[in-house]
Amino acid sequence: MNHQEKSSQDNVTEIIEFVLLGFADIPHLQWFLFGLFLIIYIIILMSNGTIFLITKMDPALQNPMYFFLANFSFLEICYVSATLPRMLMNLGAQRRTISLIACAAQMCFSLIFGATECFLLAVMAYDRYVAICNPLNYPVVMNHRVCIQLVTGSWTFGIPVQVGQTYQIFSLPFCGSKQINHYFCDIPPVLKLACGDTFVNEMLVYTVAVLFVMAPFLLILGSYSKIISIILKLPSATSQAKAFSTCSSHLMVVILFFGSAIIAYLRPNTRHSEGTDKMLSLFYTILTPMFNPMIYSLRNKDIIMALRKLLCK
C-alpha cells in the first residue's frame, strides 16, 4: 500500500511539461494548417495594426469611438499572439511539448486578454448608447478622462482574478496522461488532466465566466435595447439608417465573439467535446480577430477615407 502511494506521488511530481496535441489527429494536413494559420496571423497583425495606426494618426478619427477601436485593435493583436505563435511552432517544428510554467503563462495571458475584450466591448456599447441616446451631453459624459478610466479599467480589472484562477488550477496535482487535447492551454482540457476532485475548480470557472462573460454581455444587450428603441423613434428612415450604421459593426463583433465564448465556457461538459472545443476556441481566439478589422473597415466610411489618405501619402 505504501509502495502504491509512493508511486502515485511520483507520477504527480514527474509531470513538469505537457504535450499540446493540437491537430495531431490529421497528420497529413500539418503543413497546410501551418501555412493557413501563418497567413491568418499575418492578416490579423497587418489589419489590426493598420486600424490602430490610422485611428491614432488621422485627425478626423480623434474621438471616443475610435479611441476605443484603437485599443480594441491593439488588444486583438495581443490576444491572438498569446496562442497562435505557439501553435505555429508546434505545426512547423512538430515539437508539441510545453513546460508547466509556459502553459500556465499562456493560459493566464489568454484569460486576461479574453476578459479585457469582454469589458472593452461593453465599454464600446456604452459609448454608442451615450452617443445615440444622449447626444447633447456626449462630449461631457465621454470626455478624455472618462475614456482613459474606462479603458484602464477594462485592461486591469480582470488581472487579479485571472492570475488567481490560473494559480489555483496549476496548484492542482497532475498525474497520468500529460497530453492536452487542444492547441493551447485552455482551462477545460488542462483540468481534465488534474488528479482528484476538480468540482470546486469547475464551479470557479463557471462563476468567473458568468462575471466576466455574461455580465458584460447583458450590459451590452441592455445598451442595445435602449439604442434600438431610440432609433425606431427617429422621424425618417434615413435618420434611422445613419444611427444604426454607427453601431452595427460593433454589434456584429459582439455576436461573433460572445456567441462562441458563451457556448465554449458555459455549455454543459460532454465526454466527446474535444473537437467541438477546439473549433469554438478557433472561432473566438483566431477567426474573430481576423474578421473584426474587415467588419469595421468595410462598414465604416471614416475608416475607409482615413485608409485612402494613408495609402495616397
Side-chain angles (χ1 to χ4, degrees):
M1 183 70 180
N2 291 335
H3 177 71
Q4 290 177 348
E5 289 178 359
K6 186 176 180 182
S7 298
S8 178
Q9 290 174 356
D10 289 343
N11 287 337
V12 170
T13 56
E14 276 175 9
I15 295 183
I16 58 173
E17 64 179 16
F18 294 108
V19 178
L20 286 169
L21 292 180
F23 303 97
D25 53 334
I26 43 175
H28 56 290
L29 292 178
Q30 297 298 292
W31 284 107
F32 169 77
L33 291 174
F34 175 81
L36 176 64
F37 287 123
L38 179 60
I39 292 170
I40 289 174
Y41 189 42
I42 292 171
I43 291 172
I44 291 170
L45 293 179
M46 292 183 65
S47 56
N48 283 285
T50 300
I51 288 182
F52 178 80
L53 286 175
I54 61 177
T55 51
K56 291 295 183 183
M57 295 170 59
D58 196 299
L61 303 181
Q62 302 309 305
N63 61 51
M65 177 181 173
Y66 295 110
F67 173 74
F68 295 133
L69 181 57
N71 276 273
F72 186 70
S73 296
F74 178 70
L75 171 63
E76 293 288 60
I77 292 172
C78 295
Y79 191 25
V80 78
S81 295
T83 56
L84 237 177
R86 168 67 68 169
M87 183 172 69
L88 288 172
M89 186 180 74
N90 292 347
L91 287 169
Q94 295 298 305
R95 186 180 179 276
R96 304 182 187 278
T97 58
I98 182 170
S99 69
L100 197 75
I101 295 174
C103 188
Q106 186 184 58
M107 178 185 289
C108 188
F109 280 114
S110 62
L111 290 175
I112 290 171
F113 294 141
T116 302
E117 183 150 347
C118 293
F119 291 131
L120 199 52
L121 285 170
V123 166
M124 293 168 78
Y126 174 69
D127 172 69
R128 293 299 84 207
Y129 163 75
V130 177
I132 293 173
C133 300
N134 194 10
L136 295 178
N137 292 325
Y138 180 71
V140 178
V141 176
M142 298 303 293
N143 60 67
H144 185 67
R145 181 182 176 186
V146 170
C147 292
I148 292 290
Q149 289 173 343
L150 289 171
V151 167
T152 303
S154 298
W155 277 94
T156 59
F157 185 68
I159 291 176
V161 176
Q162 303 300 356
V163 170
Q165 183 172 229
T166 303
Y167 176 78
Q168 187 178 42
I169 289 171
F170 282 88
S171 296
L172 293 169
F174 294 97
C175 56
S177 174
K178 62 179 182 178
Q179 294 183 339
I180 300 174
N181 192 7
H182 214 296
Y183 64 87
F184 76 103
C185 293
D186 201 7
I187 293 176
V190 171
L191 272 181
K192 288 179 182 179
L193 304 184
C195 302
D197 188 11
T198 60
F199 177 78
V200 174
N201 300 88
E202 290 172 4
M203 288 301 100
L204 179 63
V205 171
Y206 279 110
T207 303
V208 171
V210 168
L211 291 174
F212 286 76
V213 180
M214 282 305 298
F217 183 63
L218 292 175
L219 288 173
I220 293 170
L221 287 182
S223 297
Y224 274 105
S225 65
K226 293 279 189 180
I227 289 170
I228 292 171
S229 67
I230 292 293
I231 290 176
L232 293 176
K233 293 176 183 177
L234 293 175
S236 66
T238 305
S239 300
Q240 292 177 356
K242 185 177 179 181
F244 191 71
S245 67
T246 64
C247 55
S248 58
S249 297
H250 177 259
L251 188 58
M252 291 175 66
V253 171
V254 166
I255 293 169
L256 285 172
F257 178 77
F258 278 99
S260 54
I262 288 171
I263 295 171
Y265 283 98
L266 293 176
R267 69 191 174 94
N269 287 328
T270 55
R271 289 185 179 181
H272 305 288
S273 63
E274 289 87 355
T276 307
D277 287 340
K278 278 189 272 192
M279 292 304 298
L280 287 169
S281 298
L282 275 175
F283 204 85
Y284 68 81
T285 61
I286 296 174
L287 296 182
T288 303
M290 182 181 70
F291 291 137
N292 288 348
M294 301 177 192
I295 293 170
Y296 276 110
S297 60
L298 292 176
R299 299 179 61 85
N300 191 301
K301 293 179 181 178
D302 293 335
I303 293 286
I304 293 172
M305 290 296 294
L307 187 57
R308 284 176 180 171
K309 284 194 287 184
L310 182 67
L311 294 175
C312 291
K313 285 183 178 180

